[in-house]
């Protein structure tokens, strides 16, 4: 049988990479790299290593690729992201800046630099770059076509503003905190677009004059306003810094839902706490494959007495119901998903489990607390794909009453 050529081996690895079988692809690429290392091989190997969480190795190979292709903005961007994932901010920023310099209009380059700046708390530099999300993924940031202008931060005194939908539930819950700031700037009328699952919950949000319910891919009629904005544009337009993020609780369960769920009161069992658990996110959401717990990992906490907070288990119809359920608990344990944001927005203690791979910018780096939600405690996964050690730490802390709930 004829031996496989180097090109055939590379193509085999590339096919595995295309199928998302990154570990297998990395093995094929690494065997080939031991014989001959080309630019395309270094690039493929670096990308696959990054997808498996081998951050230092990924940064090494992508750094080599960037050194051999200094005028390629895509490779410079990938190298910058790899250095950031590896915790080497000193090398990440120059690569990301180089990528943007080579391709000033590239939205991917802008968003990569944006995520880096926000993840290290450099909000003044990061928020303006966030505008590059518009047009990049129209399915999550739908286009807005209105006869009145977008609000760019000018005075709002006496004016009406529409804040329109984008992104996921957690994003909208997180950014809803800025609605009172619009009122504080003198806005005469604030209208908030929101999906059906959030509408009743957002009736408890201070500063909202009107809620417009809009489902995915639905068209609705909205009365004219003086200007409009989107949820994730508000921090930029308001000039929010790490030090000025509003942190007071701003959502609560509506009174009718609180009454309806008054009987939902699980027994205190986790270190004397009534605790609820969320271990899976929407499969279509960002980084869902890395954020969720395997059932066996979740079961360890369920066996100790945590109650599932998933709607299929609680019967919650929307986030107003879930908020009422959270009010009956002492502690929420959640992966990085909307319920963690809801708990934080309510001032509810929440232990939040964060993945090692592609951890979101909003949780910053290495911190165990959140500048967005004072009642959150962050548990960072030590090794990609392995939640056992993380759950071990959670269980140990549950047994330590002096730590408190948050």
């Amino acid at each position: 049988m004829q031996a496989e050529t180097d090109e055939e081996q590379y193509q085999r690895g590339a096919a595995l990479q295309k199928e998302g079988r990154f570990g297998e692809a990395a093995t094929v690429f690494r065997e080939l790299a031991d014989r001959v290392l080309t630019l395309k091989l270094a690039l493929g190997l670096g990308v696959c290593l990054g997808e498996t969480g081998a951050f230092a190795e990924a940064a090494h190979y992508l750094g080599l690729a960037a050194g051999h292709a200094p005028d390629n903005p895509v490779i410079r961007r990938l190298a910058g992201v790899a250095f950031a994932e590896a915790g080497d901010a000193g090398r990440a920023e120059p690569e990301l800046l180089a990528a943007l310099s080579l391709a000033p209009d590239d939205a991917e380059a802008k968003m990569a630099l944006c995520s880096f700046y926000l993840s290290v708390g450099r909000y003044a530099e990061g928020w303006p770059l966030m505008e590059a999300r518009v047009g990049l993924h129209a399915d999550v940031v739908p286009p807005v076509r209105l006869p009145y202008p977008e609000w760019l931060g000018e005075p709002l005194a006496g004016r009406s503003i529409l804040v329109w939908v984008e992104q996921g539930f957690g994003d909208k819950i997180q950014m809803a905190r800025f609605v009172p700031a619009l009122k504080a700037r003198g806005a005469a009328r604030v209208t908030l677009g929101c999906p059906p699952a959030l509408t009743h919950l957002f009736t408890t949000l201070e500063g909202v004059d009107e809620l417009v319910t809009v489902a995915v891919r639905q068209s609705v009629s909205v009365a004219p306003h003086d200007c409009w904005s989107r949820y994730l544009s508000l921090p930029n337009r308001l000039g929010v810094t790490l030090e000025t993020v509003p942190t007071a609780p701003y959502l609560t369960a509506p009174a009718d839902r609180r009454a309806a769920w008054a009987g939902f009161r699980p027994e205190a069992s986790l270190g004397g706490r009534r605790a609820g658990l969320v271990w899976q996110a929407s499969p279509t959401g960002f980084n869902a494959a890395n954020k969720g717990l395997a059932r066996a990992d979740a079961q360890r906490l369920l066996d100790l007495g945590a109650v599932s907070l998933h709607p299929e288990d609680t019967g919650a119809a929307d986030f107003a119901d879930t908020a009422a359920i959270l009010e009956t608990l002492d502690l929420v344990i959640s992966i990085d998903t909307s319920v963690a944001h809801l708990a934080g927005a309510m001032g509810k203690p929440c232990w939040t489990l964060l993945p090692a791979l592609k951890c979101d910018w909003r949780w910053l780096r290495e911190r165990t607390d959140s500048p967005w939600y004072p009642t959150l405690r962050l548990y960072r996964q030590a090794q990609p794909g392995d939640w056992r050690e993380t759950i071990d730490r959670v269980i140990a802390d549950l047994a330590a009453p002096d730590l408190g709930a948050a």
Side-chain angles (χ1 to χ4, degrees):
M1 182 169 137
Q2 188 174 359
E4 185 179 46
T5 67
D6 288 350
E7 179 60 23
E8 288 170 337
Q9 183 170 348
Y10 171 80
Q11 291 300 331
R12 180 160 58 90
L16 290 167
Q17 179 182 353
K18 188 175 182 179
E19 293 174 12
R21 297 160 64 179
F22 299 110
E24 296 171 73
T27 298
V28 173
F29 284 150
R30 192 183 277 112
E31 290 174 356
L32 184 55
D34 288 340
R35 299 195 300 273
V36 55
L37 184 62
T38 63
L39 174 60
K40 67 179 183 180
L41 180 57
L43 179 60
L45 180 54
V47 168
C48 290
L49 288 168
E51 291 287 347
T52 64
F55 302 129
E57 272 192 285
H60 168 72
Y61 284 105
L62 287 170
L64 289 176
H68 284 279
D71 296 327
N72 187 311
V74 174
I75 295 178
R76 300 297 294 272
R77 169 172 58 83
L78 292 173
V81 171
F83 283 124
E85 290 273 26
D88 191 345
R91 296 186 71 183
E93 185 177 10
E95 293 296 333
L96 294 171
L97 287 170
L100 189 55
S101 176
L102 289 164
D105 297 324
D106 181 22
E108 294 277 8
K110 290 180 181 179
M111 287 306 299
L113 185 59
C114 168
S115 294
F116 170 73
Y117 281 146
L118 295 179
S119 74
V120 295
R122 292 165 61 176
Y123 283 1
E125 296 159 280
W127 292 131
L129 292 165
M130 179 65 78
E131 297 306 307
R133 77 196 186 283
V134 178
L136 191 60
H137 299 291
D139 54 332
V140 294
V141 187
V144 176
R145 300 181 182 91
L146 293 168
Y148 41 92
E150 182 177 3
W151 180 57
L152 301 179
E154 66 274 14
L156 281 173
R159 305 177 74 199
S160 58
I161 182 170
L162 168 68
V163 181
W164 201 238
V165 294
E166 65 166 314
Q167 310 284 353
F169 295 127
D171 300 283
K172 285 185 273 289
I173 291 171
Q174 181 185 15
M175 296 299 157
R177 77 184 65 222
F178 296 116
V179 169
L182 300 176
K183 279 291 191 180
R185 290 210 175 188
R189 184 173 184 79
V190 178
T191 301
L192 203 59
C194 59
L198 288 174
T199 300
H200 197 41
L201 173 69
F202 278 2
T203 62
T204 69
L205 181 63
E206 179 187 351
V208 176
D209 295 293
E210 183 181 359
L211 293 166
V212 176
T213 302
V214 55
V216 175
R217 290 183 290 276
Q218 179 188 22
S219 296
V220 296
S221 178
V222 182
H225 289 68
D226 292 311
C227 56
W228 63 271
S229 187
R230 293 182 176 89
Y231 280 82
L232 269 81
S233 291
L234 295 179
N236 180 33
R237 306 311 185 198
L238 292 166
V240 172
T241 67
L242 197 62
E243 295 74 28
T244 62
V245 172
T247 58
Y250 53 95
L251 290 174
T252 187
D256 63 328
R257 301 303 180 86
R258 186 179 297 118
W261 288 91
F264 184 94
R265 195 162 180 82
E267 294 183 7
S269 53
L270 275 77
R273 305 173 180 89
R274 296 180 175 87
L277 174 66
V278 178
W279 70 90
Q280 286 293 318
S282 168
T284 60
F286 168 74
N287 206 26
N290 296 308
K291 291 195 299 187
L293 302 183
R295 178 71 195 205
D297 293 314
Q299 196 64 48
R300 296 176 63 193
L301 296 170
L302 295 171
D303 288 344
L304 291 174
V307 296
S308 170
L309 295 178
H310 290 281
E312 59 268 29
D313 296 319
T314 64
D318 60 13
F319 281 94
D321 279 344
T322 299
I325 292 170
L326 297 193
E327 288 192 355
T328 72
L329 302 176
D330 302 310
L331 173 66
V332 177
I333 302 172
S334 175
I335 62 168
D336 177 11
T337 192
S338 54
V339 174
H341 289 281
L342 176 58
M346 295 174 62
K348 176 67 62 174
C350 179
W351 294 2
T352 309
L353 315 179
L354 302 179
L357 191 60
K358 300 180 183 178
C359 188
D360 197 81
W361 57 263
R362 72 199 73 212
W363 308 118
L364 288 91
R365 295 178 181 271
E366 300 181 353
R367 294 177 61 150
T368 58
D369 66 329
S370 169
W372 292 85
Y373 304 110
T375 58
L376 263 60
R377 180 191 295 172
L378 309 181
Y379 288 80
R380 297 180 183 271
Q381 188 182 53
Q383 297 295 327
D386 183 3
W387 286 106
R388 289 172 298 176
E389 186 271 343
T390 315
I391 302 301
D392 286 344
R393 282 187 281 129
V394 169
I395 292 173
D397 286 352
L398 288 167
D402 58 306
L403 286 177

